[in-house]
Amino acid sequence: MVELRNEDTRAFQNFMRMPPAVYDELLARVGRRLSIEDTFMRHSLEPGLKLELTLQHIISGNTYASMKFTWRVPHNTISVIVPQVCGAIIAEYLDQVMVCPSTPNQWHQIADRFLQKWNFPHTWGAIDGKHVACCRCPENSGPMYFNYKGFYFILLFAMVDADYKFIWADIGGFGSASDAQVFNGSAPGMRPAVVVGIRNALSTRT
């Protein structure tokens, strides 16, 4: 990857789906969360390699079994690295890129943006869900995650503002649940934050 970056910046950007400067920033921020000490048994993998593996898995959708030949990392190791890196990215960026409004003024700004951009008055967010297929049934879940199409899936349920930026999300809902059921049963503190925030914003709207 170092050679590719030094010799062909455009190819590196196409391969990583981001410019080198953005990649450097991402690595600098999550690298400390991915670093572990070497042991007398073996050397640890570099944070850069872990990040590149994960980005390629997300970009291409290749299986761990196929990636082991390209990256020369065992598939069982990749299966540990990918969740670790994804968790590090979420922990590092969550409070920066997905902030649920906490004041009436912040909700008013979202509503004003919806009116300005889409001509939708009194709109505080757009909510929808996405069915994400699972490879296998979650343990002891019965039919809760089963789809009438014949496979198991979980729900990604989110709210965005007028510019498609996530402001709230709930991941892992039952596949058989409706949007209202997922919203009502979302993580403790999340639904009240949205409902109370909008209610307070409505009470102060002139």
Side-chain angles (χ1 to χ4, degrees), residues 12 16 25 30 48 56 58 61 88 146 148 150-151 180 191 193 198:
F12 178 89
M16 288 285 102
E25 178 196 349
V30 304
Q56 265 303 295
I58 295 173
F146 192 70
Y148 69 91
F151 60 88
R191 178 181 175 275
I198 294 177

Short mmCIF file of all heavy atoms in Angstrom, two decimals, residues 12 16 25 30 48 56 58 61 88 146 148 150-151 180 191 193 198:
data_model
loop_
_atom_site.label_atom_id
_atom_site.label_comp_id
_atom_site.label_asym_id
_atom_site.label_seq_id
_atom_site.Cartn_x
_atom_site.Cartn_y
_atom_site.Cartn_z
N PHE A 12 -4.52 4.73 -5.53
CA PHE A 12 -4.72 4.55 -4.10
C PHE A 12 -6.10 5.05 -3.68
O PHE A 12 -6.80 4.39 -2.91
CB PHE A 12 -3.63 5.31 -3.33
CG PHE A 12 -3.78 5.24 -1.83
CD1 PHE A 12 -3.20 4.21 -1.11
CD2 PHE A 12 -4.51 6.20 -1.14
CE1 PHE A 12 -3.33 4.14 0.27
CE2 PHE A 12 -4.66 6.14 0.24
CZ PHE A 12 -4.06 5.10 0.94
N MET A 16 -8.91 2.68 -1.99
CA MET A 16 -9.36 2.93 -0.63
C MET A 16 -10.65 3.75 -0.57
O MET A 16 -11.22 3.95 0.50
CB MET A 16 -8.28 3.67 0.16
CG MET A 16 -7.08 2.84 0.54
SD MET A 16 -7.40 1.69 1.90
CE MET A 16 -7.59 0.15 1.01
N GLU A 25 -5.79 10.94 8.15
CA GLU A 25 -6.54 11.44 9.30
C GLU A 25 -7.25 10.30 10.02
O GLU A 25 -7.23 10.22 11.26
CB GLU A 25 -7.56 12.48 8.86
CG GLU A 25 -8.40 13.02 10.02
CD GLU A 25 -9.64 13.75 9.56
OE1 GLU A 25 -9.77 14.03 8.36
OE2 GLU A 25 -10.51 14.02 10.41
N VAL A 30 -7.83 6.58 14.69
CA VAL A 30 -8.20 5.26 15.20
C VAL A 30 -7.00 4.37 15.47
O VAL A 30 -7.13 3.32 16.11
CB VAL A 30 -9.16 4.54 14.22
CG1 VAL A 30 -10.39 5.38 13.95
CG2 VAL A 30 -8.45 4.18 12.92
N GLY A 48 -2.27 0.28 10.44
CA GLY A 48 -2.57 0.60 9.05
C GLY A 48 -3.07 -0.60 8.28
O GLY A 48 -4.01 -0.50 7.47
N GLN A 56 -11.26 -2.46 2.81
CA GLN A 56 -11.43 -3.28 1.62
C GLN A 56 -12.60 -4.25 1.76
O GLN A 56 -13.33 -4.51 0.81
CB GLN A 56 -10.15 -4.05 1.32
CG GLN A 56 -9.25 -3.38 0.31
CD GLN A 56 -9.95 -3.10 -1.00
OE1 GLN A 56 -10.34 -4.01 -1.72
NE2 GLN A 56 -10.13 -1.83 -1.32
N ILE A 58 -15.30 -3.70 3.55
CA ILE A 58 -16.52 -2.90 3.45
C ILE A 58 -16.75 -2.46 2.00
O ILE A 58 -17.88 -2.49 1.51
CB ILE A 58 -16.42 -1.67 4.38
CG1 ILE A 58 -16.37 -2.12 5.84
CG2 ILE A 58 -17.59 -0.72 4.14
CD1 ILE A 58 -16.11 -1.00 6.82
N GLY A 61 -16.90 -6.08 -0.28
CA GLY A 61 -17.79 -7.15 0.15
C GLY A 61 -17.19 -8.53 0.03
O GLY A 61 -17.89 -9.54 0.16
N ALA A 88 -13.67 0.67 16.66
CA ALA A 88 -12.77 1.81 16.91
C ALA A 88 -13.22 3.04 16.15
O ALA A 88 -13.18 4.16 16.67
CB ALA A 88 -11.34 1.43 16.52
N PHE A 146 -37.01 -13.57 11.48
CA PHE A 146 -37.27 -14.27 10.22
C PHE A 146 -38.10 -13.41 9.28
O PHE A 146 -39.07 -12.77 9.69
CB PHE A 146 -38.01 -15.59 10.48
CG PHE A 146 -38.07 -16.48 9.28
CD1 PHE A 146 -36.93 -17.10 8.80
CD2 PHE A 146 -39.27 -16.68 8.62
CE1 PHE A 146 -36.99 -17.92 7.69
CE2 PHE A 146 -39.33 -17.51 7.51
CZ PHE A 146 -38.19 -18.13 7.04
N TYR A 148 -40.45 -13.00 5.77
CA TYR A 148 -41.39 -13.79 4.97
C TYR A 148 -40.78 -14.22 3.64
O TYR A 148 -41.29 -15.12 2.97
CB TYR A 148 -42.68 -13.00 4.73
CG TYR A 148 -42.52 -11.81 3.82
CD1 TYR A 148 -42.71 -11.92 2.44
CD2 TYR A 148 -42.16 -10.56 4.31
CE1 TYR A 148 -42.57 -10.84 1.59
CE2 TYR A 148 -42.00 -9.47 3.48
CZ TYR A 148 -42.21 -9.62 2.12
OH TYR A 148 -42.05 -8.54 1.28
N GLY A 150 -37.97 -15.60 3.42
CA GLY A 150 -37.27 -16.85 3.65
C GLY A 150 -35.87 -16.73 4.18
O GLY A 150 -35.09 -17.68 4.09
N PHE A 151 -35.49 -15.58 4.74
CA PHE A 151 -34.16 -15.45 5.33
C PHE A 151 -34.26 -14.62 6.60
O PHE A 151 -35.27 -13.98 6.88
CB PHE A 151 -33.16 -14.83 4.35
CG PHE A 151 -33.55 -13.45 3.87
CD1 PHE A 151 -33.16 -12.32 4.56
CD2 PHE A 151 -34.29 -13.29 2.71
CE1 PHE A 151 -33.51 -11.05 4.13
CE2 PHE A 151 -34.64 -12.03 2.26
CZ PHE A 151 -34.26 -10.90 2.97
N ALA A 180 -42.64 1.51 14.08
CA ALA A 180 -43.05 2.07 15.37
C ALA A 180 -42.56 1.20 16.53
O ALA A 180 -42.13 1.72 17.57
CB ALA A 180 -44.57 2.19 15.42
N ARG A 191 -34.92 7.14 22.47
CA ARG A 191 -36.26 7.57 22.08
C ARG A 191 -36.71 8.77 22.90
O ARG A 191 -37.23 9.75 22.33
CB ARG A 191 -37.25 6.42 22.22
CG ARG A 191 -38.68 6.81 21.88
CD ARG A 191 -39.63 5.63 22.04
NE ARG A 191 -41.01 6.03 21.83
CZ ARG A 191 -41.79 6.55 22.76
NH1 ARG A 191 -41.31 6.73 23.99
NH2 ARG A 191 -43.03 6.89 22.49
N ALA A 193 -34.94 11.07 24.15
CA ALA A 193 -34.17 12.23 23.70
C ALA A 193 -34.79 12.84 22.46
O ALA A 193 -34.85 14.06 22.30
CB ALA A 193 -32.73 11.82 23.43
N ILE A 198 -38.25 17.03 20.41
CA ILE A 198 -39.20 17.58 19.44
C ILE A 198 -40.37 18.24 20.15
O ILE A 198 -40.85 19.31 19.74
CB ILE A 198 -39.69 16.46 18.50
CG1 ILE A 198 -38.53 15.95 17.64
CG2 ILE A 198 -40.83 16.96 17.62
CD1 ILE A 198 -38.90 14.81 16.72
#
